[in-house]
Structures are given as C-alpha cells and as structure tokens.
Amino acid sequence: MTEEVQTAQYTDDNIRHLSDMEHIRTRPGMYIGRLGDGSLPEDGIYVLLKEVIDNSIDEFKMKAGDRLEIDIADNLRVSVRDYGRGIPQGKLVEAVSVLNTGGKYDSKAFKKSVGLNGVGVKAVNALSAHFEVKSYREGKVRALKFEKGILKDDQTKKTTDENGTYIYFEPDNTLFKNYAFHDEIVENMLRNYTYLNTGLTIMYNGRRIKSRNGLQDLLVDNMTTDPLYPIIHIKGEDIEIAFTHTNQYGEEYYSFVNGQHTTQGGTHQSAFKEHIAKTIKEYYDKNYEYTDIRNGIVAAIAINVEEPVFESQTKIKLGSTLMEPGGETINKYIGDFIKREVDNYLHIHKEDVADILENKIKESERERKAMAGVTKLARERAKKANLHNRKLRDCRIHFCDAKDPRKEESSIFITEGDSASGSITKSRDVNTQAVFSLRGKPLNSFGLTKKVVYENEEFNLLQSALDIEDGLDDLRYNKVIVATDADVDGMHIRLLLITFFLQFYPELIKKGHVYVLQTPLFRVRNRRSKIKSKKVIAEADAKLAGGEKKNDFITRYCYTDEERVKAIKDLGPDPEITRFKGLGEISPDEFVHFIGPDMRLEQVTLHKNDQVQKLLEYYMGKNTMERQNFIIDNLVIEEDIPEDETTDDEE
C-alpha cells in the first residue's frame, strides 16, 4: 500500500511582512535572549531595563546630566528619568519604534557607546504591555503612549521641567510569565553603572547609589575575604583596572566594555589575564607559573572601545579585537598599559605590595608542587570514570556549536543515590540536562587544602565533570543544580556541597552558577467528580499540553505547608495527600514537571556581608558541642502528615 504525502501549498499568501514591532514580539529571543520570570539576572526583563538605562548613561558620558531616577512599583512597573538632552522630538516616534534608527550611528555624538545597533528601546516598547516616553527639550514635552508596540497617543505641550527623557514600561506578562523585578538583582546592576561612571548619582526607589572610587569600590563591595595588600587601582584614557590577591582559591574577574558588564568576559578579559601574569612574572624575573601568579586574584577591568562587537544581542561577551576600526588591537592596548603602569607600581610599592604578592605566589607554587603526583593520578581516575560513565550522565549540548544559544540553558543536577539520579535521568531533557550521582555523603571539606579535591574520589570526579580545575573559562554547564532530598540528610548533603564550592570555587557561586532544586514536599489530589470549584477545574485543564487527555484526578504539587493547606481547600473533601520523603519516591512521569521550564530553583549567592567564614566555622568547624546545644535549644517537632491511603483500585 502506497502512502500519499500531501504537499503544503506555497503561494503568495504565504509571504508575510512583519512590522518592526511585530518581528520583535514574534522573535523576542533574537533581541533580548531568554524571557524568564525575573528570578535570574540574565532574564529578559533586566535586559529591557538595561536597554533603557544605557541610553541615559550615554547621556552622562556626553556630560549631559549627572543624575538618574529609577522607580519600580510593585516589582512590576518601571520608570526611568534622566536629565540629559532629551531625544530630539521630531524623530521621537522613530527613535522608539523603528529598528535601525538612532543617534548612535554618528560616532561623533556617541563615540564609545554600548547601544550601536538601533534596537535597544524599540525592544522595550515592543515587549511591553504599556510603554510611555516623554522628551523634555527647550520648554516643550512630547509624550507618546504605546501598547505592545502600537502607538496609542501623541501629545506635545509646554513645560518648565528640566531637559531629559522619561520612559515608563510594563513588561508584557503574556510573554514574561509571572515576572517580577528582584530588588537585589536590580541594585547590583545599578551599582555596576555607578562604579563605571564616577560622579553619576542614581536614585533607586528613593535610595541613593553613587561611587567615588570606581572599580576600587567594586572590589571592596564584592570581596568576601580580606585583601593581602592594598587594592592596586590605575586609570588610563580608555582603560581602568583594579586588583589584589586574597587567600581564596581560584581567580575572580569583573569585566566591562563601555559600561556594559561582560559577565562572560571576552577579548579584553583574556588580554588582562594574560598580561597581568606576564608583567608580574617579568617584574620578579623568576620562572613562576601563570597559574601560581593568578591564584587568589580578584580583579576588575573596564575599557572603552569604539564600535564594539559583542557575541550576542545581550552583550555579555566581547568579540572585538580592535580598539577602534583600523586601530591597534585590544590585546596590545591592554598589554602596553599593564606593562607600563603595573610594573611601575610594583617598583614604587615594593614592601607594602610586591613582597607580599611574591609570598602569595610562592605559597601557591609550594601547594601546587605538593599536589603534583596526586593530581596526575586523580586526572587518570577521572578520565576512566567518565569513559565508563559511572558517575556522569552527560547531555548532548556539548556536541553543539560553542555559540549555540542553548548553551545558557545547559545544566547539571548533582543528586544523591541511584534512585534519585535514576528518576531525574529518565525525566530530563537529554539535550541540555546532565546528571551527576553522588555516592553517600561528601566529605566535610572545611579547613582542608585543595589537595583533598584530588584525593577524594567524589570531589575529583565532580571537578572533572564540571571541568573547572583551571577556572570557570571551561565550565561545561551554565547551571550547577544541587538536587537532594528535602529531609535532614538531604539538607546535610546540600550544605557539604556548598561548603566544597565556597572553599575551592567561590567564583562559581559569585558568578551565579550554583542553584538548589526545589522539589515538592506533598502531592494533593482528588477526583474531578469531588471538586466543586469550576475555576479550579478550568485552571487545571488550561495547563494540559496540546493533545493531553484530561485525567480523572486533578493534582497539586505543594512545596510548603501553606501550599498544602490551600490545595486541600481548593480540591474539595477528603483529598489524597502524599508526603514525598525523598526524590527517589517521585516517579519519572511526575519528575518531568519539576525539572522542566517551570522548575523552581533557588540561587546560591555570596556577598561581602554574608560573613561566610564565620558561618562555616560555626556550622562546619570542630565546635560540635556548641552546635549540639544550638540544635537542642531550637528544636521544633513537626506534626506528622498522614500517609497516602490510596488503594490500588483508586490508582
């Protein structure tokens, strides 16, 4: 029997033209990267905010306005007011709604700007349910109102207000599901702007943010351990650097281009790493290894480049090789600056900086040499373990192009035991999600040297799976997700893993790569026939995937007691309640709901005021009796939840 294949018609009617606003709304990922709900710094709502602020920062750089007012109401609605020159009113509509339109193509007006592609605020307009812009210039204000990129109102009036631009926007919640601006993420973004623009004052929801010492302030505010010597802070015409060393392991960098925080580095950060090590090595005129020189470094670099080229629209990695079209290379510019300025600084500050730095280098060298034999054996063990796939069930993302946008979606779940890892492995997206299985509880690594990373099989294989032995440049997964049971043992394993990262790879946490997977504590369900609320039934049916059949049961997964109580109330009389005691008890069919697009992740953060060292000493140190007394004094006995009494017939 021959199967007939019907060819789809392809006519003039298939050829469509999308307006600029329609194109942005149809393909938002091309303009702002991921959408997200605002729980992560890379989520799209922060890109929208950044695009608006960038324009105001460019005004400041042109010495037009030194203050910026930003308000976010109810974590949903944003207004930004600057006191620059104001957008030229005759082209105001085009400036906010027509792609490839802007004043930054004229390099005389905006020589070293971030927003050079004429997209920025147009994307904000298109992806907002409501968008308003006001341009104040020479006693007049022109005000426009848009809805989803469509112009709804246009008025011009006289005004006595100062020149400048006002923009208001509400991200479209049909695109950004359940979004909210998180105060901590916004404030961190704004502080970065002030570090790079000394003299700029930002008022954020009534709070004043300002920096007097640029990148030096950035390091002071972000370092979680004390510096070994005073921060070296040097400025040039188009470059600013600041660095010191601490007793922490690894390397920590903050890099910027034209005010843009390049979280994934790029050519400028690579040049800094190369030349800072080379200059220090040549200063001492000894055969020190670059890794020993940079171990423990905390550094920041900011450069201004004419017409920068980034590797994506979100501008988090610099791809440019030249300082300006036809000019000298970024590598040479940074190298010459560091060679001249840092070498001079070390000669001038021999006792209070150079001698201390050399002692740190020697200490790193001694530790590295002491680990040499252990390291070689550990690498061989890790290679064999990966070959036999004993610990790591990898994802396919690594077979894709390095610039594949899905790279940002890659993640690895660190689980305990075979049952939990088995459920996740069967439920995961094999393209982007890997699974690493722990065997028992990890070692408490607090107070130990990095030698333990290679001597302990679990840590050695985990380090190898993440590919972070030489720093984060080769990190295989964007998200490192700790997935342990929501019981005492699971919490202990979680704490041991976080201690390991804090001890040996603090930058992994500081750069926002470490998360904890939130899994439900309870499943509450009831038969449709017992549920009286039509709204509850309609909401459940709306969540069904296309073609998915309605089930006899409607189920709620609850992550807290409060959610459990509400579910019991919503789902009618005598619902079935199951208390999940471990991840292994959750079937793969159910687990797929918890590690899909809507999975709940809690990001592990590390800040200067967290007093991490004191916390680790208390909870992970040798003060056993003190901790025991604390537990006894704060013991809370939870009420038992009835076991699920569902019969096989009901299932």
Side-chain angles (χ1 to χ4, degrees):
M1 182 176 178
T2 305
E3 183 178 333
E4 293 184 8
V5 179
Q6 185 174 356
T7 304
Q9 295 296 312
Y10 183 48
T11 67
D12 290 347
D13 294 336
N14 296 111
I15 308 299
R16 287 183 62 200
H17 170 73
L18 296 178
S19 70
D20 290 344
M21 297 292 99
E22 288 175 321
H23 191 271
I24 295 172
R25 289 184 63 81
T26 304
R27 298 285 186 269
M30 290 177 58
Y31 299 91
I32 64 165
R34 56 174 288 142
L35 293 174
D37 63 1
S39 58
L40 304 176
E42 62 265 28
D43 285 346
I45 59 172
Y46 301 111
V47 179
L48 300 185
L49 176 59
K50 185 186 74 65
E51 293 290 2
V52 174
I53 295 175
D54 281 348
N55 291 337
S56 298
I57 296 299
D58 285 334
E59 287 295 293
F60 171 79
K61 287 180 178 294
M62 298 300 295
K63 304 189 185 304
D66 61 359
R67 71 187 193 278
L68 187 57
E69 296 165 1
I70 299 170
D71 292 285
I72 302 181
D74 302 322
N75 300 319
L76 300 172
R77 298 176 293 278
V78 179
S79 63
V80 178
R81 171 69 155 102
D82 70 35
Y83 295 88
R85 295 164 294 182
I87 301 171
Q89 294 177 355
K91 294 286 186 178
L92 187 57
V93 174
E94 292 86 341
V96 299
S97 64
V98 179
L99 291 180
N100 306 314
T101 304
K104 297 174 186 178
Y105 295 107
D106 179 0
S107 62
K108 293 179 181 177
F110 293 93
K111 186 178 181 183
K112 289 163 182 156
S113 167
V114 170
L116 289 171
N117 51 15
V119 173
V121 78
K122 290 85 168 173
V124 183
N125 185 356
L127 301 177
S128 294
H130 300 282
F131 176 89
E132 298 177 22
V133 58
K134 297 178 183 179
S135 172
Y136 299 88
R137 284 176 71 105
E138 300 166 358
K140 292 182 180 179
V141 55
R142 185 179 182 187
L144 310 177
K145 292 183 179 180
F146 293 80
E147 293 180 4
K148 299 179 181 179
I150 300 172
L151 181 62
K152 297 294 184 179
D153 191 49
D154 182 353
Q155 296 184 25
T156 302
K157 299 178 180 178
K158 292 183 178 180
T159 183
T160 57
D161 288 351
E162 292 181 61
N163 286 356
T165 301
Y166 168 90
I167 286 179
Y168 168 91
F169 70 94
E170 296 177 36
D172 186 349
N173 60 15
T174 65
L175 298 172
F176 305 93
K177 306 286 187 182
N178 302 313
Y179 80 89
F181 287 92
H182 289 237
D183 187 74
E184 180 180 302
I185 295 175
V186 174
E187 184 165 334
N188 184 61
M189 178 195 302
L190 300 182
R191 288 197 181 280
N192 283 339
Y193 278 114
T194 60
Y195 296 138
L196 300 164
N197 299 279
T198 53
L200 172 68
T201 298
I202 296 180
M203 296 300 297
Y204 169 50
N205 282 355
R207 303 198 297 272
R208 183 173 177 268
I209 303 174
K210 189 171 184 175
S211 170
R212 298 185 183 278
N213 302 302
L215 295 185
Q216 181 178 337
D217 288 342
L218 183 150
L219 294 193
V220 169
D221 291 346
N222 283 277
M223 282 193 302
T224 53
T225 53
D226 294 333
L228 296 178
Y229 54 85
I231 294 171
I232 298 174
H233 182 213
I234 308 171
K235 288 184 178 183
E237 182 179 351
D238 282 313
I239 184 171
E240 179 181 358
I241 66 171
F243 71 93
T244 185
H245 280 73
T246 70
N247 275 325
Q248 71 183 29
Y249 286 101
E251 304 168 31
E252 186 176 330
Y253 299 99
Y254 302 86
S255 63
F256 303 85
V257 177
N258 297 7
Q260 167 65 30
H261 188 189
T262 42
T263 54
Q264 292 187 6
T267 52
H268 59 319
Q269 183 170 302
S270 298
F272 176 86
K273 290 175 62 177
E274 173 191 347
H275 291 290
I276 198 71
K278 184 178 180 181
T279 297
I280 291 172
K281 179 177 180 177
E282 290 176 353
Y283 168 79
Y284 294 115
D285 194 23
K286 295 177 183 176
N287 195 30
Y288 291 136
E289 294 280 344
Y290 282 1
T291 54
D292 296 329
I293 293 172
R294 292 196 299 250
N295 184 38
I297 194 172
V298 182
I301 177 172
I303 64 170
N304 294 320
V305 176
E306 188 172 335
E307 299 183 20
V309 176
F310 296 93
E311 292 192 1
S312 70
Q313 168 60 21
T314 50
K315 305 166 187 171
I316 55 177
K317 187 173 184 179
L318 181 67
S320 297
T321 58
L322 302 177
M323 288 296 292
E324 60 184 39
E328 71 177 317
T329 66
I330 289 173
N331 188 285
K332 184 178 186 304
Y333 179 82
I334 293 175
D336 290 347
F337 177 81
I338 290 176
K339 171 63 179 174
R340 180 179 64 253
E341 299 296 337
V342 173
D343 185 74
N344 288 345
Y345 192 97
L346 293 175
H347 276 94
I348 295 171
H349 298 271
K350 185 179 184 304
E351 292 183 0
D352 59 336
V353 174
D355 290 349
I356 297 172
L357 173 54
E358 186 169 26
N359 287 336
K360 169 63 177 173
I361 296 169
K362 289 178 177 178
E363 181 184 321
S364 298
E365 183 180 56
R366 283 193 296 271
E367 185 173 344
R368 176 180 55 80
K369 289 180 177 179
M371 293 194 305
V374 176
T375 303
K376 184 179 180 181
L377 290 173
R379 286 171 179 162
E380 291 175 357
R381 288 201 310 270
K383 188 175 181 181
K384 285 182 180 179
N386 279 336
L387 284 173
H388 292 92
N389 207 26
R390 283 172 42 216
K391 306 288 290 182
L392 176 66
R393 296 163 179 86
D394 209 350
C395 57
R396 295 174 180 165
I397 194 72
H398 307 293
F399 299 103
C400 302
D401 185 270
K403 294 183 180 179
D404 192 315
R406 290 182 300 166
K407 204 80 173 179
E408 289 189 17
E409 300 303 319
S410 64
S411 58
I412 182 169
F413 294 97
I414 304 175
T415 67
E416 51 171 319
D418 294 334
S419 58
S421 64
S423 291
I424 294 180
T425 299
K426 293 174 183 176
S427 309
R428 65 179 175 140
D429 178 348
V430 296
N431 290 310
T432 60
Q433 295 176 329
V435 182
F436 182 90
S437 179
L438 291 168
R439 186 180 63 191
K441 288 187 179 181
L443 179 71
N444 179 4
S445 60
F446 177 69
L448 303 180
T449 68
K450 202 169 186 179
K451 188 177 180 182
V452 74
V453 178
Y454 297 95
E455 292 177 330
N456 180 274
E457 183 179 20
E458 296 297 300
F459 288 157
N460 175 41
L461 296 179
L462 178 56
Q463 174 188 254
S464 177
L466 299 178
D467 202 4
I468 53 176
E469 181 179 358
D470 297 321
L472 299 192
D473 288 349
D474 298 318
L475 178 65
R476 288 164 59 84
Y477 314 96
N478 190 39
K479 294 185 180 70
V480 179
I481 302 170
V482 179
T484 59
D485 291 344
D487 58 12
V488 174
D489 284 340
M491 298 286 263
H492 189 203
I493 293 172
R494 181 188 305 178
L495 184 57
L496 290 167
L497 283 170
I498 292 174
T499 299
F500 167 70
F501 291 134
L502 287 170
Q503 278 282 105
F504 304 114
Y505 302 101
E507 194 184 9
L508 195 67
I509 292 178
K510 283 191 175 183
K511 294 295 185 182
H513 293 291
V514 180
Y515 298 83
V516 172
L517 176 67
Q518 301 296 311
T519 51
L521 297 174
F522 309 97
R523 178 182 62 210
V524 180
R525 68 177 191 168
N526 212 343
R527 291 187 179 276
R528 284 175 175 268
S529 58
K530 293 184 178 181
I531 300 174
K532 296 180 180 180
S533 172
K534 293 181 179 179
K535 181 180 178 183
V536 169
I537 295 173
E539 288 175 348
D541 291 344
K543 293 180 180 179
L544 295 175
E548 186 178 348
K549 294 182 180 180
K550 296 179 181 178
N551 197 292
D552 288 341
F553 286 89
I554 288 180
T555 304
R556 292 271 185 90
Y557 295 101
C558 308
Y559 292 76
T560 63
D561 276 325
E562 289 77 15
E563 289 183 12
R564 175 179 62 87
V565 171
K566 186 176 188 305
I568 292 171
K569 180 180 179 182
D570 290 345
L571 297 184
D574 303 319
E576 299 166 6
I577 306 170
T578 301
R579 171 68 159 91
F580 294 120
K581 295 180 179 178
L583 301 185
E585 293 185 354
I586 304 175
S587 69
D589 290 340
E590 288 184 295
F591 224 122
V592 72
H593 299 296
F594 315 136
I595 60 173
D598 297 326
M599 69 174 163
R600 298 193 189 186
L601 295 178
E602 183 179 351
Q603 190 173 43
V604 181
T605 60
L606 179 58
H607 302 291
K608 183 180 181 68
N609 297 326
D610 288 340
Q611 296 184 315
V612 172
Q613 195 63 25
K614 289 184 178 179
L615 287 172
L616 288 177
E617 286 175 0
Y618 184 83
Y619 290 105
M620 308 304 291
K622 297 181 179 180
N623 54 327
T624 308
M625 287 304 300
E626 191 177 356
R627 284 199 305 274
Q628 181 175 310
N629 292 333
F630 174 83
I631 292 170
I632 293 171
D633 293 342
N634 293 275
L635 184 65
V636 176
I637 300 176
E638 293 185 355
E639 179 184 351
D640 288 338
I641 303 299
E643 293 291 330
D644 185 2
E645 297 179 355
T646 305
T647 65
D648 292 338
D649 291 339
E650 287 176 313
E651 290 289 354

